[in-house]
C-alpha cells in the first residue's frame, strides 16, 4: 500500500520552488501548555511536515540538546497517550503533515496494533523509529501501512546501496537521510561525502529525500541544490525556543 | 530461530547507522575467531597473561557447615581480578586483527573499564572508557587504574549518570567513529552479535570448570551457580553445561534491599519484556516503556536489563533464576572471608549467597560449583559503609 500524504506535502513545496521544511519538537516542549501552540505556530509559518518527538529515557541516536529536552518532557509526565490525545484535538487546525519520531520501546509497551490505530485516528501520517532497522521493522511497517501510517526509512552516509534498496522496497513517506555519522545536534558544516550518499538515495528511492541531523542554517543546503527535497531541523529550533524566542521568528530564516 | 535471536529474545534494535559496524563485526567473527592464528594467540594470552586455567577450589570448611560440597571456580584469580579480562583480551585481539587502532567501552563499577584498558595497553590500542559521572565518583580507584594503563576515562553526565547512560554514550561514540573503532562491549547483552561474541570468550570458564571437576571427582556436578548482571560470567559458566541434562543450573539476580517494590537489578524475576540497548529482553521499565533506575549493593549487577540468552534459558525452563538481596550478599561475603580466606566480589557474593540460602533444598553431599566471578578488594569501602549503616 502506498501512502502518499507525506510525499505529496514535500512535492507540493518543491513544485513551488522551495525545499520542504520539517521542524522537530519533542512532545511537551518547552512545556506541556505551550507545546500545541508552538505546533500551530510552526504550521502557520511554513512547516510542510511537523515532526513530534516521543520522549524516551535512553535516546541513543540523539545528541545532548534533544536528549535534555526529551528528559525535561518526561519529567513533566509526557507519554504517548498525552501526545496522541492532544494531537487528535488540534489536528484539524494543522495543515502540515504530522510525523512522530521516537524509539521502539515506548511504542512496544503502548502496543503495536493499538499504536497504529490510535496514531491513524489522531491524524499521524508517518512514524520514524530511530532504533528499528529494516530487519526488525518489516512486520510493524505492514501493520502501520494497514492503518495508513508510513514507516519512514532512515539511511546514512554508511548505508550501502544494497541496504538502501531494502528500505526503498517498502519504504513510505520520504527517505530520511542522516547527514552525519553521529547523533542529532546542529553542526556548523556538513561532511563533503554527503553528496555521494544523497545522489545514491535519490536514485534508489522513488519517494522524496529529506536531509536531517546537523542542520543549523539554510545556507548549509546551498551546495546541495537538487539533492535535497526537504530539510529537518531539531536542535537549532529547540535551542531557539529554549532562549525564549518564538517559532515564527525561527521559521522566517528558513522560509 | 531468527538470525541474532535466542527464542523470542535478542535482535538488533539499533539506529541504521550502527548496522554496518555490527554486520562488519559479525563477518569478522566468522572469519577471524576460528582461524588458527587467532586461536593460538588467544590461547597463549589466556595462559600467559590472564593466568588461566584459574583454580577450582573445594571449600572444605563451608561444605561441613552447609551440608553440600561447595566448589568455587576462581575467576577472582584472573588478571585484574575478575572474569571480565577473558572477554576484553579476546575483543582486543579481534580489534587488532580487524585492523582497527582503537577501542571504546562502557563501564559501571569500573571492572570492565579496567579490563579493557589493560587489554588495550597490552595490544597497543588506543582506548576510551565511558563511565557514568556518579560511578566515576563512587569508583575513583578504578578510574586511576584505567588512566595508568593509558586509557582516557570520560564521565557521562546525561540521564541517570550510571551504567545504562555509559552504554548510550559509548553507542553514540561508536556511531561517529565506527571506521576506526571497535566497541568492546562488556557483557553478554546488547545487539547481536555481542551476546554471542562475549559468550564465545567467556565460555572458557565452564569448559575449564567441567574438565577440572571431572579430573578431581570423575563426575558431573549436581549444580552450577553464577550471578547475573548483564550475564557474561553466568553464560560463560553455563554454556558448557546447558546440554548436560543432569546438571541443574542457577543464575542469581540482585534483589536490591529486598523489600517489595524496592529498586532492584532483577529484570528476569521482576522485569517485563522490552527493547533496550539493541536487544529484545526483560527490563526494569515503567508502564510507558521508560527505563527505570536499578539498584544493587554490587555495582557490577546494577543494570536494568539482561542478556537475551538468559531470558531464553529462563523461558525454556532450562535455567532457574533466583534472587538475593543486599544483606544476604553481605552475609555470604563475610562467610567466605572467615571460613575460606577468600575475599569475593559483592557480585559473586550474590551467587554464593544463593547457595547458602538454599542449602536445605540441595541434597546432602551434592556437588555445587559457584562461579566466583571476581575478587572483592574493590568493594571494601562499600562493605564498610554498609556495616556503618546497618551494624555488624
Ligand atoms: C566481579 C563481577 N562479577 C559479575 C559482574 C556482572 O556482570 P556479568 O553478569 O556480565 O558477568 C561484574 C560486572 O561488572 C563483575 O565485576
Amino acid at each position: 500500500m502506498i501512502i502518499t500524504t507525506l510525499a505529496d506535502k514535500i512535492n507540493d513545496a518543491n513544485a513551488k520552488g522551495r525545499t520542504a521544511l520539517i521542524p522537530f519538537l519533542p512532545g511537551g516542549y518547552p512545556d506541556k501548555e505551550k507545546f500545541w501552540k508552538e505546533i500551530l505556530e510552526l504550521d502557520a509559518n511554513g512547516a510542510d511536515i511537523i515532526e513530534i518527538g516521543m520522549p524516551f529515557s535512553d535516546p541513543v541516536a540523539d545528541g545532548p540538546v534533544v536528549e535534555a529536552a526529551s528528559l525535561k518532557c518526561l519529567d513533566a509526565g509526557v507519554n504517548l497517550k498525552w501526545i496522541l490525545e492532544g494531537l487528535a484535538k488540534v489536528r484539524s487546525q494543522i495543515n502540515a503533515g504530522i510525523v512522530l519520531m521516537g524509539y521502539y520501546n515506548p511504542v512496544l509497551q503502548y502496543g503495536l496494533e493499538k499504536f497504529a490505530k490510535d496514531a491513524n485516528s489522531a491524524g499521524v501520517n508517518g512514524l520514524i523509529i530511530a532504533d528499528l532497522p529494516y530487519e526488525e521493522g518489516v512486520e510493524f511497517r505492514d501493520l502501520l501501512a494497514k492503518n495508513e501510517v508510513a514507516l519512514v526509512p532512515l539511511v546514512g552516509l554508511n548505508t550501502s546501496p544494497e541496504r538502501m534498496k531494502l528500505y526503498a522496497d517498502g519504504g513510505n513517506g520520504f527517505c530520511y537521510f542522516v547527514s552525519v555519522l553521529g547523533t542529532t545536534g546542529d553542526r556548523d558544516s556538513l561532511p563533503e561525502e554527503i553528496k555521494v550518499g544523497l545522489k545514491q538515495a535519490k536514485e534508489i528511492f522513488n519517494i522524496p529525500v529529506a536531509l536531517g541531523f546537523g542542520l543549523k542554517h539554510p545556507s548549509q543546503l546551498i551546495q546541495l541544490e537538487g539533492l535535497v527535497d526537504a530539510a529537518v531541523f531539531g536542535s537549532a529550533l529547540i535551542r531557539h525556543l529554549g532562549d525564549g524566542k518564538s517559532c515564527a521568528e525561527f521559521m522566517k530564516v528558513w522560509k | 530461530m531468527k538470525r541474532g535471536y535466542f527464542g523470542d529474545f535478542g535482535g538488533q534494535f539499533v539506529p541504521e547507522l550502527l548496522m554496518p559496524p555490527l554486520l562488519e563485526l559479525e563477518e569478522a567473527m566468522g572469519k577471524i575467531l576460528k582461524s588458527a592464528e587467532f586461536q593460538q594467540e588467544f590461547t597463549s594470552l589466556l595462559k600467559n597473561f590472564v593466568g588461566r586455567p584459574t583454580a577450582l577450589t573445594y571449600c572444605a570448611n563451608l561444605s561441613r557447615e552447609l551440608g553440600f560440597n561447595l566448589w568455587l571456580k576462581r575467576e577472582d584469580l584472573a588478571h585484574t581480578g575478575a572474569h571480565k579480562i577473558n572477554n576484553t583480551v579476546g575483543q582486543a585481539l579481534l580489534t587488532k586483527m580487524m585492523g582497527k587502532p582503537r577501542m571504546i567501552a562502557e563501564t559501571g563499577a569500573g571492572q570492565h573499564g579496567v579490563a579493557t584498558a589493560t587489554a588495550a595497553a597490552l595490544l597497543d590500542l588506543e582506548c576510551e572508557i565511558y563511565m557514568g559521572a556518579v560511578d566515576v565518583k563512587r569508583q575513583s580507584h578504578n578510574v586511576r587504574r584505567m588512566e595508568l594503563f593509558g586509557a582516557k576515562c570520560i564521565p557521562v553526565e546525561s540521564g541517570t549518570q550510571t551504567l545504562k547512560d555509559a552504554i548510550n554514550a559509548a553507542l553514540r561514540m561508536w556511531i561517529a567513529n565506527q571506521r576506526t573503532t571497535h566497541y568492546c562491549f562488556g557483557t553478554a547483552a546488547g545487539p547481536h552479535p555481542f551476546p554471542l561474541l562475549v559468550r564465545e570468550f567467556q565460555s572458557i570458564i565452564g569448559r575449564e570448570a567441567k574438565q577440572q571437576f571431572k579430573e578431581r571427582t570423575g563426575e558431573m556436578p549436581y549444580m552450577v551457580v553464577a550471578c547475573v548482571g548483564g550475564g557474561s560470567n553466568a553464560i560463560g559458566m553455563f554454556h558448557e553445561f546447558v546440554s548436560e541434562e543432569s546438571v541443574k543450573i542457577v543464575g542469581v539476580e540482585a534483589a536490591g534491599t529486598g523489600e517489595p517494590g524496592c529498586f532492584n537489578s532483577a529484570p528476569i524475576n521482576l522485569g517485563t519484556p522490552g527493547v533496550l540497548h539493541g536487544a529484545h529482553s526483560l527490563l526494569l521499565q515503567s508502564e510507558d516503556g521508560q527505563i527505570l533506575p536499578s539498584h544493587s549493593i554490587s555495582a557490577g549487577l546494577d543494570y536494568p536489563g539482561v542478556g537475551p540468552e538468559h531470558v531464553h534459558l529462563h523461558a525454556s525452563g532450562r535455567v532457574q533464576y533466583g534472587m538475593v538481596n543486599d544483606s544476604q550478599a553481605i552475609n555470604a561475603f563475610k562467610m567466605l572471608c572467615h571460613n575460606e580466606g577468600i575475599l569475593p566480589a559483592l557480585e559473586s557474593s550474590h551467587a554464593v549467597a544463593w547457595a547458602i540460602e538454599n542449602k536445605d533444598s540441595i541434597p546432602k553431599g551434592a556437588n555445587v560449583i559457584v562461579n566466583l566471578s571476581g575478587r572483592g578488594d574493590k568493594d571494601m569501602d562499600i562493605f564498610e559503609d554498609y556495616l556503618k549503616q546497618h551494624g555488624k
Side-chain angles (χ1 to χ4, degrees), chain A residues 55-63 67 71 74 77-80 103-110 130-136 139 154-160 163 167 178 180-183 193 213, chain B residues 2-3 5 10-21 23 158-160 164-165 167-168 171-173 175-179 272-278 280 283 285-292:
Chain A
F56 180 49
S57 54
D58 294 76
V60 166
D62 285 307
E67 180 179 31
L71 293 179
L74 283 179
V78 168
N79 59 16
L80 297 193
Y103 293 80
Y104 194 47
N105 196 48
V107 176
L108 192 61
Q109 302 310 319
Y110 191 93
D131 56 350
L132 196 67
Y134 176 80
E135 286 82 346
E136 306 290 358
E139 285 160 36
L154 264 173
V155 300
L157 294 169
N158 61 349
T159 309
S160 64
R163 287 190 68 78
Y167 281 106
V178 176
V180 289
L181 268 189
T183 51
E193 56 187 311
F213 282 42
Chain B
K2 237 168 103 183
R3 195 179 131 273
Y5 275 78
Q12 292 179 303
F13 295 86
V14 295
E16 172 56 35
L17 300 195
L18 271 182
M19 287 302 291
L23 292 167
S158 60
T160 59
K164 78 174 179 69
D165 306 285
I167 295 178
N168 294 339
L171 286 169
R172 288 169 181 148
M173 221 14 88
I175 292 176
N177 297 290
Q178 54 187 264
R179 286 167 182 156
T272 52
V275 166
L276 175 69
H277 295 146
H280 184 232
L283 305 176
Q285 60 182 326
S286 71
E287 266 180 32
D288 290 337
Q290 308 298 338
I291 307 308
L292 295 174

Side-chain angles (χ1 to χ4, degrees), chain B residues 187-214:
Chain B
T187 190
H192 172 73
F194 282 113
L196 283 178
L197 180 66
V198 176
R199 183 186 80 190
E200 171 87 15
F201 292 140
Q202 293 295 3
S203 55
I204 183 82
I205 301 173
R207 276 204 304 281
E208 280 179 14
K210 189 174 178 184
Q211 195 192 348
Q212 290 167 320
F213 190 78
K214 253 194 179 150

Side-chain angles (χ1 to χ4, degrees), chain B residues 82-84 109 111-112 186-188 227-234 300-301 345 347-348 373-375 378:
Chain B
H83 68 291
K84 297 284 180 193
Q111 284 303 107
H112 175 59
T187 190
C227 66
V228 177
S232 71
N233 85 93
L301 300 184
E347 291 82 3
S348 323
S373 55
R375 67 175 188 227
K378 68 182 176 66

Side-chain angles (χ1 to χ4, degrees), chain A residues 6-18:
Chain A
L6 295 172
D8 288 349
K9 294 281 178 200
I10 296 174
N11 290 334
D12 286 353
N14 294 169
K16 287 178 195 135
R18 55 183 188 82

Side-chain angles (χ1 to χ4, degrees), chain A residues 81-96:
Chain A
K81 189 165 173 276
W82 183 87
I83 293 174
L84 288 171
E85 286 179 0
L87 180 62
K89 278 186 214 140
V90 297
R91 187 62 180 101
S92 62
Q93 303 167 55
I94 302 170
N95 248 319

Side-chain angles (χ1 to χ4, degrees), chain B residues 72-150:
Chain B
L72 299 177
K73 179 58 178 162
R74 299 289 305 280
E75 293 303 293
D76 60 315
L77 297 178
H79 182 41
T80 69
H83 68 291
K84 297 284 180 193
I85 191 78
N86 305 321
N87 174 42
T88 60
V89 165
Q91 291 203 42
L93 195 58
L94 183 62
T95 305
K96 196 102 191 163
M97 291 188 176
M98 285 171 79
K100 296 195 174 187
R102 182 164 174 268
M103 283 202 297
I104 55 172
E106 84 294 343
T107 196
Q111 284 303 107
H112 175 59
V114 168
T116 305
T118 302
L122 177 76
L123 294 174
D124 194 24
L125 296 163
E126 282 170 54
C127 182
E128 253 175 35
I129 309 288
Y130 293 83
M131 189 169 182
V134 168
D135 291 331
V136 167
K137 281 196 204 99
R138 284 199 287 218
Q139 308 282 338
S140 62
H141 178 71
N142 272 338
V143 174
R144 292 206 298 281
R145 281 168 84 192
M146 288 177 234
E147 283 167 353
L148 263 178
F149 290 125

